[in-house]
């Protein structure tokens, strides 16, 4: 009796007969031998079917197998150093479950990305896309584990909200029984409430931005993890960010070697993700850009070329701190030594991946937050509950938001964020 296994775990069965349940990804045949590329979702492996070594019927079935047919295969596991999984299968038996129709849309030749995105439901079966989403899964779990082990409580904020937080121009509006409501841009304000109830919390969910951007860094629906911590200041906030990213990188390096290999990811830059990270103030970053002949004024926002240039000056992610207060969201705590700048930072990833974290200490003074809400012309009545946090036992607190997809793109070393989420929502795409 062959033992059932996934391809991922096949190293446990060298020299033994195993059963694999999966799909035919590709096939090459000569008169005497078929090479089956088999995938089972966990990994890919080559099955070798030699005419003289299998029943006539088995060899014939292999001839009829079309791309993406589902199959059960029995074979003997053999070491093969050239294979990404490190093994191949000497096939004994093949049982078709479903012979796929002719004309599978994704052939093994090159396709344009638009075509592939249109067929995302099938594209995710291919080795690279599969590896990216498996690394996403690992990063997801790393984030949850990191916070859980440190005593943070997971709190789910609502997705339907009455208010804006990160700028009113990027809201998806919905009709909520005749009233205006919006898809959440961030769970932060609710995380702040929860931090006053639980001390340390994090939210982790989908967030929505109605940005009409077509860059390789923007999605209209993306996932963000947002920790929020009572009694933690600007310094303490950066420390958690460094430790979290080091932890994520180490876990991926340790547990996702096969996937990184499939992606051809150069891992040296990932090995560098060790705390502490370098820091530069916004004001110093502006000077740095001017020296490098960029046209840039204090108060301007960084574009991709600026972020890339700054990141290139360091060998690991870099914090840009103390942005001008005017540039940033209303809730950020101004520096008491210089209220023109805030006690917050963006974390810029290396290799041109840009901002992956935005965070800050929050304003905890009632009068100041009231003043800021009015200054931004935000409707005071729907922020009453948020003001209560400053009325009843207010404490200095801090938090940040890490974009999951930008992090996955960077860790995987791939060029576009749309490949890092199972079904991307972008300016021109809500299908499939
Ligand atoms: O800098 P942002 O807008 O910060 C916030 O929303 C804060 N409320 C977070 C907090 O302090 N709790 O977004 C945080 C991160 C960015 O650094 C980026 O990684 C990601 O979210 N992000 C996007 N990712 C993909 N597509 C977009 N359109 C994104 N906008 C932001
Ligand atoms: Mg930001």
């Amino acid at each position: 009796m062959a033992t059932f296994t996934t391809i991922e775990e096949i190293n446990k069965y060298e020299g033994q007969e195993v059963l694999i349940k999966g799909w035919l990804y590709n096939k090459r045949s000569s008169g005497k031998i078929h090479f089956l590329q088999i995938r089972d979702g966990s990994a890919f492996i080559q099955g070798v079917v030699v005419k003289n070594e299998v029943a006539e019927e088995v060899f014939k079935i292999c001839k009829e197998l079309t791309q993406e047919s589902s199959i059960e295969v029995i074979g003997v596991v053999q070491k093969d150093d050239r294979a990404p999984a490190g093994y191949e299968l000497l096939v004994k038996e093949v049982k078709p479950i479903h012979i796929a129709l002719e004309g599978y849309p994704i052939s093994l030749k090159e396709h344009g990305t638009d075509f592939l995105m249109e067929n995302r439901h099938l594209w995710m079966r291919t080795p690279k896309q599969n590896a990216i989403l498996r690394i996403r899964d690992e990063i997801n779990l790393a984030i949850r584990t990191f916070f859980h082990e440190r005593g943070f409580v997971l709190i789910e904020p609502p997705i339907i909200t009455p208010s804006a937080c990160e700028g009113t121009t990027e809201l998806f509006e919905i009709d909520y029984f005749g009233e205006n409501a919006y898809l959440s841009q961030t769970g932060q304000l609710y995380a702040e409430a929860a931090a006053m109830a639980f001390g340390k919390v994090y939210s982790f969910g989908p967030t929505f931005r109605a940005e009409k951007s077509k860059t390789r860094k923007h999605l209209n629906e993306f996932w963000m993890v947002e920790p929020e911590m009572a009694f933690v200041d600007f310094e303490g906030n950066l420390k958690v960010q460094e430790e979290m990213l080091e932890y994520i990188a180490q876990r991926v390096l340790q547990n996702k070697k096969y996937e990184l290999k499939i992606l051809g990811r150069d891992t040296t830059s990932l090995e560098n993700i060790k705390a502490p990270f370098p820091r530069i103030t916004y004001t110093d970053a502006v000077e740095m850009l001017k020296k490098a002949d960029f046209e840039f004024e204090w108060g301007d926002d960084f574009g991709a070329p600026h972020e890339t240039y700054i990141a290139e000056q360091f060998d690991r992610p870099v914090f840009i701190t103390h942005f001008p207060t005017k540039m940033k969201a209303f809730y950020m705590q101004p520096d008491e030594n210089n209220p023109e700048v805030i006690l917050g930072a963006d974390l810029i990833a290396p290799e041109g991946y840009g901002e992956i974290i935005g965070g800050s200490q929050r304003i905890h003074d009632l009068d100041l937050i009231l003043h800021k809400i009015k200054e931004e012309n935000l409707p005071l009545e729907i922020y009453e509950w948020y003001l209560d946090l400053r009325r009843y036992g207010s404490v200095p607190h801090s938090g940040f938001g890490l974009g999951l997809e930008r992090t996955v793109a960077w860790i995987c070393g791939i060029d576009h964020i749309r490949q890092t989420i199972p079904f991307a929502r972008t300016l021109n795409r809500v299908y499939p």
Side-chain angles (χ1 to χ4, degrees):
M1 266 290 282
T3 319
F4 169 69
T5 181
T6 58
I7 299 171
E8 194 178 21
E9 304 220 301
I10 213 155
N11 60 341
K12 295 180 186 158
Y13 301 97
E14 192 178 339
Q16 298 177 40
E17 211 168 83
V18 296
L19 164 66
I20 286 176
K21 301 183 183 193
W23 295 264
L24 182 71
Y25 174 63
N26 189 18
K27 182 176 74 177
R28 280 186 299 121
S29 302
S30 72
K32 292 187 179 128
I33 195 159
H34 296 296
F35 295 103
L36 311 179
Q37 304 300 329
I38 306 160
R39 61 174 193 87
D40 74 345
S42 76
F44 291 71
I45 195 167
Q46 172 162 278
V48 185
V49 193
V50 182
K51 190 170 185 179
N52 298 335
E53 292 179 22
V54 294
E56 208 172 298
E57 193 52 28
V58 171
F59 200 77
K60 198 166 147 262
I61 285 168
C62 289
K63 211 166 167 182
E64 287 158 15
L65 288 179
T66 49
Q67 189 186 354
E68 288 301 319
S69 290
S70 43
I71 46 178
E72 292 185 3
V73 181
I74 291 175
V76 177
V77 181
Q78 293 183 323
K79 200 147 181 55
D80 177 6
D81 291 330
R82 292 158 306 173
Y87 295 88
E88 67 172 19
L89 206 61
L90 188 58
V91 175
K92 302 276 180 217
E93 277 174 53
V94 176
K95 180 174 149 202
I97 306 298
H98 176 240
I99 302 286
L101 302 186
E102 290 289 345
Y104 183 69
I106 301 186
S107 64
L108 295 159
K109 64 169 203 268
E110 290 274 311
H111 292 287
T113 313
D114 258 347
F115 175 84
L116 291 168
M117 286 301 289
E118 192 73 9
N119 288 284
R120 180 61 172 169
H121 53 300
L122 305 175
W123 191 26
M124 67 204 295
R125 301 179 180 193
T126 60
K128 278 196 176 172
Q129 297 309 311
N130 197 274
I132 294 166
L133 293 180
R134 290 174 69 82
I135 289 174
R136 177 187 169 106
D137 169 61
E138 182 72 31
I139 293 175
N140 240 308
L141 193 59
I143 290 170
R144 288 169 200 273
T145 309
F146 178 88
F147 287 111
H148 180 74
E149 284 180 351
R150 282 159 187 77
F152 287 67
V153 178
L154 175 65
I155 294 290
E156 292 89 352
I159 286 172
I160 300 172
T161 63
S163 60
C165 180
E166 298 295 326
T168 46
T169 55
E170 295 172 354
L171 286 166
F172 280 112
E173 205 171 301
I174 57 171
D175 174 357
Y176 195 71
F177 307 118
E179 303 220 344
N180 276 349
Y182 309 94
L183 297 182
S184 176
Q185 297 174 303
T186 166
Q188 179 194 319
L189 305 189
Y190 296 99
E192 284 186 56
M196 298 307 138
F198 299 91
K200 292 189 287 187
V201 301
Y202 70 108
S203 73
F204 199 174
T207 44
F208 305 85
R209 306 271 166 110
E211 291 173 276
K212 295 198 167 157
S213 318
K214 280 206 224 166
T215 78
R216 62 194 190 90
K217 290 176 198 163
H218 287 90
L219 292 169
N220 297 104
E221 175 178 322
F222 64 96
W223 281 64
M224 190 167 21
V225 58
E226 298 186 87
E228 197 67 35
M229 301 158 282
F231 298 103
V232 168
D233 64 5
F234 168 72
E235 276 294 325
N237 196 21
L238 298 195
K239 212 153 173 272
V240 175
Q241 297 172 43
E242 293 171 335
E243 280 172 18
M244 177 193 66
L245 276 174
E246 179 173 331
Y247 180 79
I248 292 173
Q250 291 308 312
R251 277 211 33 172
V252 172
L253 282 167
Q254 198 175 353
N255 298 340
K256 288 287 164 253
K257 292 193 178 76
Y258 169 77
E259 287 80 0
L260 290 169
K261 199 157 139 191
I262 285 192
L263 296 172
R265 180 64 164 124
D266 172 18
T267 53
T268 45
S269 88
L270 300 184
E271 278 149 20
N272 257 347
I273 307 175
K274 291 261 165 68
F277 297 162
R279 300 173 186 191
I280 181 172
T281 63
Y282 171 87
T283 304
D284 287 347
V286 171
E287 286 313 306
M288 181 188 265
L289 290 173
K290 280 183 173 165
K291 272 198 194 121
D293 286 336
F294 284 93
E295 270 193 36
F296 202 91
E297 291 304 319
W298 200 91
D300 291 348
D301 213 345
F302 299 127
H306 308 121
E307 283 181 349
T308 303
Y309 179 80
I310 296 165
E312 276 168 357
Q313 312 312 309
F314 304 93
D315 71 341
R316 60 195 73 195
V318 53
F319 286 114
I320 305 181
T321 69
H322 300 86
F323 279 82
T325 310
K326 283 209 174 71
M327 278 173 63
K328 289 290 188 186
F330 73 93
Y331 52 72
M332 293 197 183
Q333 174 70 45
D335 185 348
E336 57 181 27
N337 301 317
N338 175 14
E340 296 290 297
V341 299
I342 44 91
L343 295 178
D346 282 359
L347 186 70
I348 310 299
E351 302 169 75
Y353 286 95
E355 180 203 323
I356 55 165
I357 296 182
S360 76
Q361 191 173 321
R362 321 304 192 189
I363 294 175
H364 60 280
D365 179 73
L366 178 61
D367 291 335
L368 184 54
I369 196 80
L370 255 172
H371 171 75
K372 296 286 271 188
I373 290 174
K374 285 180 186 154
E375 203 176 62
E376 298 261 328
N377 283 321
L378 297 170
L380 206 53
E381 55 300 350
I382 55 175
Y383 285 92
E384 278 303 326
W385 68 267
Y386 188 68
L387 295 172
D388 275 351
L389 308 177
R390 279 78 184 163
R391 289 186 182 114
Y392 307 114
S394 190
V395 295
H397 61 286
S398 302
F400 62 91
L402 168 92
L404 179 63
E405 290 75 17
R406 287 191 193 171
T407 307
V408 175
W410 163 46
I411 299 280
C412 290
I414 53 162
D415 62 359
H416 204 296
I417 196 171
R418 65 190 156 202
Q419 300 178 30
T420 64
I421 187 165
F423 295 94
R425 294 294 172 248
T426 54
L427 187 53
N428 301 315
R429 180 167 297 290
V430 283
Y431 174 94

mmCIF file of all heavy atoms in Angstrom, residues 190-202:
data_model
loop_
_atom_site.group_PDB
_atom_site.id
_atom_site.type_symbol
_atom_site.label_atom_id
_atom_site.label_comp_id
_atom_site.label_asym_id
_atom_site.label_seq_id
_atom_site.Cartn_x
_atom_site.Cartn_y
_atom_site.Cartn_z
ATOM 1 N N TYR A 190 -10.697 52.770 16.045
ATOM 2 C CA TYR A 190 -11.312 51.735 16.880
ATOM 3 C C TYR A 190 -10.246 50.995 17.683
ATOM 4 O O TYR A 190 -10.485 50.593 18.823
ATOM 5 C CB TYR A 190 -12.118 50.780 16.005
ATOM 6 C CG TYR A 190 -13.273 51.500 15.336
ATOM 7 C CD1 TYR A 190 -13.187 51.947 14.015
ATOM 8 C CD2 TYR A 190 -14.429 51.781 16.052
ATOM 9 C CE1 TYR A 190 -14.225 52.642 13.423
ATOM 10 C CE2 TYR A 190 -15.485 52.469 15.472
ATOM 11 C CZ TYR A 190 -15.377 52.903 14.157
ATOM 12 O OH TYR A 190 -16.412 53.592 13.588
ATOM 13 N N ALA A 191 -9.067 50.821 17.082
ATOM 14 C CA ALA A 191 -7.969 50.177 17.809
ATOM 15 C C ALA A 191 -7.561 51.040 19.002
ATOM 16 O O ALA A 191 -7.214 50.528 20.064
ATOM 17 C CB ALA A 191 -6.784 49.933 16.874
ATOM 18 N N GLU A 192 -7.628 52.357 18.826
ATOM 19 C CA GLU A 192 -7.310 53.257 19.946
ATOM 20 C C GLU A 192 -8.283 53.037 21.102
ATOM 21 O O GLU A 192 -7.873 52.979 22.272
ATOM 22 C CB GLU A 192 -7.345 54.723 19.488
ATOM 23 C CG GLU A 192 -6.128 55.129 18.666
ATOM 24 C CD GLU A 192 -6.125 56.624 18.361
ATOM 25 O OE1 GLU A 192 -6.183 57.441 19.299
ATOM 26 O OE2 GLU A 192 -6.074 56.973 17.151
ATOM 27 N N ALA A 193 -9.578 52.908 20.770
ATOM 28 C CA ALA A 193 -10.568 52.647 21.828
ATOM 29 C C ALA A 193 -10.232 51.333 22.525
ATOM 30 O O ALA A 193 -10.252 51.239 23.757
ATOM 31 C CB ALA A 193 -11.971 52.593 21.230
ATOM 32 N N ALA A 194 -9.901 50.326 21.720
ATOM 33 C CA ALA A 194 -9.616 49.003 22.282
ATOM 34 C C ALA A 194 -8.340 49.020 23.130
ATOM 35 O O ALA A 194 -8.253 48.313 24.135
ATOM 36 C CB ALA A 194 -9.498 47.978 21.158
ATOM 37 N N ALA A 195 -7.360 49.846 22.760
ATOM 38 C CA ALA A 195 -6.117 49.923 23.539
ATOM 39 C C ALA A 195 -6.394 50.446 24.941
ATOM 40 O O ALA A 195 -5.733 50.048 25.904
ATOM 41 C CB ALA A 195 -5.090 50.801 22.824
ATOM 42 N N MET A 196 -7.395 51.320 25.051
ATOM 43 C CA MET A 196 -7.730 51.847 26.374
ATOM 44 C C MET A 196 -8.512 50.813 27.189
ATOM 45 O O MET A 196 -8.653 50.927 28.406
ATOM 46 C CB MET A 196 -8.560 53.135 26.238
ATOM 47 C CG MET A 196 -7.840 54.267 25.526
ATOM 48 S SD MET A 196 -6.225 54.636 26.242
ATOM 49 C CE MET A 196 -5.239 54.866 24.760
ATOM 50 N N ALA A 197 -9.016 49.787 26.499
ATOM 51 C CA ALA A 197 -9.737 48.716 27.197
ATOM 52 C C ALA A 197 -8.846 47.509 27.476
ATOM 53 O O ALA A 197 -9.027 46.810 28.463
ATOM 54 C CB ALA A 197 -10.946 48.282 26.365
ATOM 55 N N PHE A 198 -7.858 47.252 26.573
ATOM 56 C CA PHE A 198 -7.055 46.026 26.676
ATOM 57 C C PHE A 198 -5.549 46.287 26.802
ATOM 58 O O PHE A 198 -4.780 45.335 26.902
ATOM 59 C CB PHE A 198 -7.300 45.133 25.452
ATOM 60 C CG PHE A 198 -8.725 44.684 25.308
ATOM 61 C CD1 PHE A 198 -9.629 45.433 24.574
ATOM 62 C CD2 PHE A 198 -9.165 43.524 25.918
ATOM 63 C CE1 PHE A 198 -10.957 45.030 24.440
ATOM 64 C CE2 PHE A 198 -10.480 43.110 25.794
ATOM 65 C CZ PHE A 198 -11.381 43.874 25.059
ATOM 66 N N GLY A 199 -5.122 47.508 26.723
ATOM 67 C CA GLY A 199 -3.692 47.820 26.834
ATOM 68 C C GLY A 199 -2.961 47.726 25.507
ATOM 69 O O GLY A 199 -2.586 48.729 24.916
ATOM 70 N N LYS A 200 -2.787 46.488 25.037
ATOM 71 C CA LYS A 200 -2.115 46.296 23.746
ATOM 72 C C LYS A 200 -3.038 45.506 22.830
ATOM 73 O O LYS A 200 -3.468 44.402 23.186
ATOM 74 C CB LYS A 200 -0.817 45.504 23.930
ATOM 75 C CG LYS A 200 0.237 46.262 24.693
ATOM 76 C CD LYS A 200 1.570 45.523 24.662
ATOM 77 C CE LYS A 200 1.557 44.300 25.541
ATOM 78 N NZ LYS A 200 2.882 43.660 25.652
ATOM 79 N N VAL A 201 -3.337 46.057 21.680
ATOM 80 C CA VAL A 201 -4.239 45.373 20.745
ATOM 81 C C VAL A 201 -3.665 45.460 19.329
ATOM 82 O O VAL A 201 -2.746 46.236 19.061
ATOM 83 C CB VAL A 201 -5.646 46.017 20.726
ATOM 84 C CG1 VAL A 201 -6.278 45.979 22.102
ATOM 85 C CG2 VAL A 201 -5.578 47.458 20.212
ATOM 86 N N TYR A 202 -4.230 44.638 18.445
ATOM 87 C CA TYR A 202 -3.959 44.849 17.020
ATOM 88 C C TYR A 202 -5.203 44.482 16.231
ATOM 89 O O TYR A 202 -5.965 43.610 16.641
ATOM 90 C CB TYR A 202 -2.738 44.062 16.543
ATOM 91 C CG TYR A 202 -2.905 42.559 16.472
ATOM 92 C CD1 TYR A 202 -3.003 41.911 15.241
ATOM 93 C CD2 TYR A 202 -2.956 41.785 17.630
ATOM 94 C CE1 TYR A 202 -3.136 40.529 15.168
ATOM 95 C CE2 TYR A 202 -3.095 40.404 17.563
ATOM 96 C CZ TYR A 202 -3.191 39.781 16.328
ATOM 97 O OH TYR A 202 -3.337 38.417 16.265
#
